[in-house]
Amino acid sequence: MNQDVTTFGRSASAALSTSKVVRNTYMLLAMTLAFAALTAGAAMALGLPHPGIILTLVGYYGLLFLTTRFRNSGLGIAFVFGLTGFMGYTLGPIVNAYLALPNGGQVVMMAMGGTALVFLALSAYVMTTRKDFSFMGGFLTVGILVAFLAGLAAIFFHMPGLSLAVSAMFVLLMSGLILFETSNIIHGGETNYIMATVTLFVAIFNLFTSLLQLLGLASND
């Protein structure tokens, strides 16, 4: 009897812990998305230039390292906002470039709507079915690494065709990452809401920028 009570208590405690991670993750995600939108809007309004691929990578990985390093302390929250705000700033000039094109506003709105639809649909699917997508971890790691290296090659060697192929890959990979991370959160595989927020934010960011490029092509821009 005592063993049954202990087992029940542990199960209840685990469920409460998971619920707390889910609640904190989506609350922080909403806040970081709003902050990134604010920094992107400021960059657009001020007409700030894109920092370039080198500074973007240094800033992103530097802030990601600090966020990971301090993920269990209050500083982790500050670095999450630093990271997402920086990513929002890099997005501002990109969106401005699309808005300057014919039908650019429509392309941007379609990319935003598509990103929201994919994220909400995939998240709702995992939440309602509670399927375990942990088996996708290895595939996503390799796929993202290959797509990242291919993307760098497309930039440095000026290969538009490869760049578009990479965007299509990232749409699929980021959709898979949303499934994987959401499953990880609700099944207790991810217990740190700061890192869960970062993963979902990066997935949403890359999904949006990839859809921008693909929709821009479809609109002959």
Side-chain angles (χ1 to χ4, degrees), residues 81-200:
F81 280 97
L83 173 62
T84 56
F86 175 74
M87 293 176 72
Y89 155 63
T90 64
L91 184 62
I94 296 174
V95 174
N96 259 352
Y98 276 92
L99 290 175
L101 298 172
N103 299 321
Q106 184 179 1
V107 170
V108 172
M109 292 305 296
M110 288 175 64
M112 290 178 61
T115 301
L117 180 62
V118 170
F119 176 73
L120 293 174
L122 294 178
S123 298
Y125 176 74
V126 178
M127 291 288 190
T128 54
T129 64
R130 302 193 67 84
K131 287 189 176 181
D132 187 356
F133 288 93
S134 59
F135 65 89
M136 297 176 65
F139 167 78
L140 289 171
T141 300
V142 174
I144 291 171
L145 177 60
V146 170
F148 174 73
L149 294 176
L152 289 180
I155 292 172
F156 287 113
F157 296 106
H158 304 288
M159 302 169 67
L162 179 58
S163 180
L164 290 171
V166 168
S167 293
M169 289 176 62
F170 263 108
V171 169
L172 296 175
L173 289 167
M174 293 305 105
S175 297
L177 185 58
I178 291 169
L179 288 172
F180 171 79
E181 189 62 19
T182 306
S183 170
N184 234 9
I185 295 169
I186 66 173
H187 290 292
E190 177 59 82
T191 58
N192 188 288
Y193 70 93
I194 289 178
M195 298 312 300
T197 298
V198 169
T199 301
L200 291 175

Side-chain angles (χ1 to χ4, degrees), residues 9-81:
R10 289 175 179 173
S11 298
S13 178
L16 287 173
S17 178
T18 299
S19 178
K20 183 178 180 180
V21 173
V22 171
R23 182 177 65 254
N24 289 344
T25 295
Y26 285 97
M27 184 181 300
L28 183 58
L29 180 62
M31 293 170 65
T32 53
L33 286 171
F35 184 64
L38 181 65
T39 57
M44 293 169 64
L46 296 173
L48 298 179
H50 194 277
I53 185 64
I54 301 299
L55 287 178
T56 297
L57 291 176
V58 171
Y60 171 74
Y61 283 106
L63 288 166
L64 180 61
F65 170 79
L66 291 171
T67 302
T68 305
R69 173 70 176 80
F70 294 100
R71 64 187 181 275
N72 294 315
S73 69
L75 276 176
I77 299 291
F79 286 123
V80 164
F81 280 97

